[in-house]
Amino acid sequence: MASGLFFDPKAALAVTPLVSSTCTLLFAWDQDFFLRLLNIPENRSKSNAILPAYFKLFFSNGMVRIVGFLGVTFWSTVGNYYWRHSALVSNQSLKWYLAGGGLALSHLLFVPLVAPPIRDIINNGRSKKEPTDLLDEWLSINWFRSATVDFAAWACMYRFFIPILTTSLRKPLNQSAVLRRQKNKVPVVFLPIITATKVPLLEGDFNFHKSNSTYFTDLDTSRAHLLAFLCFKGMVKLDKELSADGKKGILTVMLGSTQTSFKREIPTLQPYEVWSRILTWDQKWLYIVTHFVQHGRITPTASVASMKADSGASKSKTPLASKDVESSIFATSISKCVFKKGRMTVSPERILRASDLLSPVSSSDATINLSKPTENHMNGGAASSVADKIPSTTQDDSQLLAEIEAERVKGIKYADFLSGLEELQGQLLKDDEVSNGVVSLGTFNDLGRLISA
């Protein structure tokens, strides 16, 4: 128990490849930055004289470090394969660990390319080229290696990129097939994505609970999982269309604001789950609701990620009581995000439609009403009102769009609450402070030392 509380060997093993691949990448970039300074025009003549002796010392010490980092990455990947195999398979990380270890080892494939210029720099006179010219060659190869295999190895180990990498290889969602297999018939756009994790020791506060500040890191990762799974293909498609229309920049998603309500503490080292789903959207903002949930309390009957073309319907499940659901929640957050292509704002509906999430028929031209909810919406009339506005769609399309609109409207009241908090930006100063100046309690540095009256 004590060793698991203060040091978890398997947790350390899991993060070791990330640490070592980060060190490899940073060391490679440091090499490029500092050695390139020797070859700027005003230094080249002086560098020709000092490079042979300097590079001999630099290379002998640097090689030990880089080979050491690569060895740690590779062998810790092997260790994860043998001692954490089941965990990596369950969270679909195994292939990325193996890819990262393989990419780290492939760093050595560049040795035949970098060895000749290194040899000629150290043994000055063997080549007709100046040492600075040889260094240019080495820097070009080193930069390419860093930007390809070193960065790719690091990205495979960094959990923020894993869902994006995984999604880029996934086939597009077939909403019709998913709906046929679902028992609850919730549209795919509103389905949750679940991240299983636990509270690391370093995320605990002095009460041995998960620190409130660390919830926002989980939110970043969970939102990345959700939007990558649902919208990656659509964003790539729409980005190409907008670029063809002359719009500059890369289509990306940005966080506008987030708000979290804490209900119960999560003890250090306790497993928990992060459930994120799209709540609603308007002309500009996409709203995502995230729940921090007790691990294993609510078990999904099926998942879209594991559905195959020949799979059957989802398994039956005993209905949960509302009090059981509420008692399993540690905290709830709502975030609003905006899609940007350069300075252009792209509406969430356009993103969702490009991702085939608003209709099983991707070629449909139907639109969803993005106006504020009317009294008819609130009284359950959303389905008929939306269906009336989309006569060109099939009956299945109309029904799905009506269900999506009804669910979207239900979330608008929470979105309005979050948007209303933006008015607090105007409350930084009191009226009298604007007129007569501010009297503060003091200005302190982050160590609590008074630095200004």
Side-chain angles (χ1 to χ4, degrees), residues 1 3-15 84 87 91 159 195-204 209-211 214-215 217-218 266-274 292-295 330:
M1 287 289 289
S3 61
L5 177 61
F6 293 102
F7 180 75
D8 186 345
K10 288 189 175 181
L13 181 62
V15 75
R84 298 186 61 248
N91 61 23
R159 70 172 184 162
T195 305
T197 184
K198 69 176 182 179
V199 183
L201 181 64
L202 295 180
E203 287 192 1
H209 299 150
K210 179 176 173 64
S211 175
T214 64
Y215 283 76
T217 301
D218 288 339
I266 310 178
T268 302
L269 299 182
Q270 177 172 317
Y272 65 97
E273 296 170 352
V274 186
F292 293 80
V293 181
Q294 186 175 339
H295 176 70
F330 295 114

Side-chain angles (χ1 to χ4, degrees), residues 110 122 132 147 202 292 299 400:
F110 287 80
I122 294 175
T132 50
L202 295 180
F292 293 80
T299 305
L400 176 61

